[in-house]
Amino acid sequence: MPRVVSVYFPFLPTDRIRRHGEGAVPADQPLVVISRSGTKRWVSAADTAARKVGLRIGMSASKAQAVIAGLTMMDADPVADAAALERLALWALRQYSPVVAVDGTDGIVMDTEGADHLRGGEEMMITGLVNMLRGRGLTGRAAVADTWGAAHAIARLTTAETTVVPIGGVANAVVGLPIHCLRLPPDTIQRLHVLGVETVGELSAMPRAPLTLRFGPEPGRRLDQLFGRVAEPIEPLRTPDLVVVSKNFQEPIGAAETIEKYVRRLVGQLTAELEQRGLGVRRSDLVIHRVDNTRQCLRAGLAKPVRDPARLSKLLCDRIEKIDPGFGIERLDLVAVMTEVLEERQVASSLIEEDVVDITPVIDVLANRGQRLYRLSPVASDVPERSVMRIAPTAPETGADWAVKWPRPSRLFAHPERIEVTALLPDQPPAVFTWRGKRRRVKRADGPERIFGEWWQRPREMQAVRDYFVVEDEQGERYWVYRAGDGVDLETGSHLWFIHGVFG
């Protein structure tokens, strides 16, 4: 079932001013946007600080000035706001979903079917989205639901930053919402209010025939879209700089072999167009338009820009089994949503025989299957858990190296695990230790290797130490264990024992 994310931006003008810093307004100072119609002036947007002191949308500008002396006001700029929304939609298109569109004048909408699992699920996806927007100086609220209408309404009528409506839970989530969430014309809403209709539940309970006769088909259509009885497809945002190739079919197709044949043809057309522009593709989307007015999408990402038809075709064709053609496919679109300049360069020498190994095709295959790939790189730190960092699999070498001469375990735990230890003396290696419920007798041990705390990072580590030992049990298994502290002074550590890694 399709899942739709609606992101609502309650105050784009403030975000635009504060981000660019020109005449920046302090975050705690109330700020409102004023719209005009003839001689009438009213508040069309209010930031968080303004709403906290009682200002609201629709209030007259003179009344707002009377409530707060010296209130900061700015004229509405619909053109600039529309441009900002389009930039945000393009950003979301590259980062989150192949199907993204501008949603009215205050938000964007995305079809995230099949994309949320790459970000840990719907809750983590929209939470990360809202947090990323906040880091860029933008305020947003996001909602996930089965339909565009439900996600649109909930994002705008709830105060929660993120809301996930369970699959099949649209009716319970929207039945109590006011009818203006249906995106009906203002005069229709006003006439419904005259009849005493205030909520979606009250409107949906009305007989359809009299409702259509009096108000036309629009209220019924919006209700059907809200509850998912009628499809409301999202028309993806497309700009002139996006490279798009398409294939329309006079007769719908559905066989996997036929789909693969046309996908390979589209890839050939796309790479030819990219070659003319001197570009390589980093992210491409295959959008499948079905005859039932629904869409499916396949996204292929690459570690570096390429325009090799065989490589891109493999990434897309390997996932054709995920396509559900339904009653047939009437159009295929292949879009290069992220491109970079790609220059031809010589990779082999005519003077020497050299094997150039390129692992990026393998990285692309694994990454497009949903695997999270990374490399470990050394960090200048004596503390084991701080001595490594994750970098991209294709990132250049950092040039750093581990300076320690003592052996390190092949498997280092993310968090040391507590063990029970019997030792002859406080500063001696363990004779017996119990880990995960199993008692192990130590036959050989080497150490200690003393590691001191990094006082320049945390003052409390001034006296902290660890004594590490490499120990081997009766089965020949080797472990890396340590005692927190020097065995004498409690200021240096708790003197508890931990296992931090396993050799071999």
Side-chain angles (χ1 to χ4, degrees), residues 358-406:
D358 185 6
I359 64 170
T360 53
V362 178
I363 293 173
D364 292 338
V365 171
L366 294 176
N368 282 279
R369 291 175 181 172
Q371 303 295 325
R372 293 182 176 270
L373 305 177
Y374 59 87
R375 288 187 5 240
L376 295 179
S377 179
V379 177
S381 176
D382 289 332
V383 180
E385 59 266 33
R386 301 175 191 165
S387 63
V388 294
M389 66 176 178
R390 294 181 178 183
I391 61 175
T394 57
E397 295 291 341
T398 61
D401 197 3
W402 287 287
V404 296
K405 298 181 180 179
W406 287 76

Side-chain angles (χ1 to χ4, degrees), residues 157-385:
L157 296 176
T158 59
T159 57
E161 281 192 338
T162 60
T163 306
V164 177
V165 179
I167 295 176
V170 167
N172 293 332
V174 303
V175 68
L177 296 180
I179 57 174
H180 69 258
C181 74
L182 291 172
R183 297 169 289 169
L184 293 170
D187 59 331
T188 302
I189 294 175
Q190 181 61 35
R191 291 164 62 195
L192 287 169
H193 284 325
V194 171
L195 293 179
V197 179
E198 300 291 338
T199 67
V200 170
E202 293 171 350
L203 182 62
S204 63
M206 295 181 64
R208 181 61 60 90
L211 180 66
T212 304
L213 182 64
R214 183 163 187 170
F215 297 98
E218 190 65 8
R221 185 176 72 90
R222 286 301 191 187
L223 280 174
D224 290 339
Q225 289 175 344
L226 179 70
F227 291 109
R229 294 189 286 262
V230 172
E232 186 179 11
I234 301 170
E235 190 61 35
L237 178 69
R238 296 290 181 258
T239 58
D241 59 324
L242 288 178
V243 184
V244 184
V245 293
S246 302
K247 174 62 179 178
N248 292 289
F249 304 103
Q250 293 183 351
E251 294 293 333
I253 65 172
E257 297 81 4
T258 307
I259 297 172
E260 180 177 350
K261 178 179 71 174
Y262 286 107
V263 167
R264 292 185 181 277
R265 290 183 182 179
L266 287 175
V267 169
Q269 298 174 22
L270 182 71
T271 52
E273 180 67 25
L274 291 172
E275 186 173 5
Q276 291 182 1
R277 303 189 187 192
L279 300 174
V281 62
R282 283 289 307 276
R283 189 166 296 161
S284 64
D285 293 333
L286 178 66
V287 184
I288 301 100
H289 300 260
R290 306 196 315 188
V291 295
D292 59 357
N293 205 24
T294 60
R295 295 184 182 90
Q296 284 186 286
C297 300
L298 293 180
R299 168 160 286 186
L302 297 110
K304 63 181 182 181
V306 299
R307 53 172 178 259
D308 180 5
R311 186 164 161 187
L312 185 56
S313 296
K314 176 176 175 55
L315 293 178
L316 292 171
C317 293
D318 282 352
R319 299 161 63 201
I320 283 180
E321 71 276 2
K322 295 182 178 294
I323 298 175
D324 178 12
F327 295 106
I329 297 170
E330 61 182 2
R331 192 171 95 231
L332 293 175
D333 293 338
L334 185 59
V335 189
V337 297
M338 185 179 293
T339 58
E340 295 180 9
V341 175
L342 180 61
E343 298 179 356
E344 302 290 348
R345 63 186 182 90
Q346 184 175 344
V347 296
S349 172
S350 60
L351 299 176
I352 60 173
E353 294 183 1
E354 181 184 16
D355 293 331
V356 179
V357 179
D358 185 6
I359 64 170
T360 53
V362 178
I363 293 173
D364 292 338
V365 171
L366 294 176
N368 282 279
R369 291 175 181 172
Q371 303 295 325
R372 293 182 176 270
L373 305 177
Y374 59 87
R375 288 187 5 240
L376 295 179
S377 179
V379 177
S381 176
D382 289 332
V383 180
E385 59 266 33

Side-chain angles (χ1 to χ4, degrees), residues 110-153:
M110 304 182 289
D111 183 343
T112 59
E113 180 186 8
D116 58 286
H117 74 281
L118 299 176
R119 297 181 178 271
E122 292 177 339
E123 184 66 42
M124 290 186 65
M125 178 182 66
I126 63 173
T127 300
L129 170 62
V130 169
N131 290 338
M132 194 173 297
L133 290 170
R134 184 184 296 110
R136 294 168 177 257
L138 297 166
T139 302
R141 297 204 298 264
V144 185
D146 294 341
T147 65
W148 181 353
H152 175 97

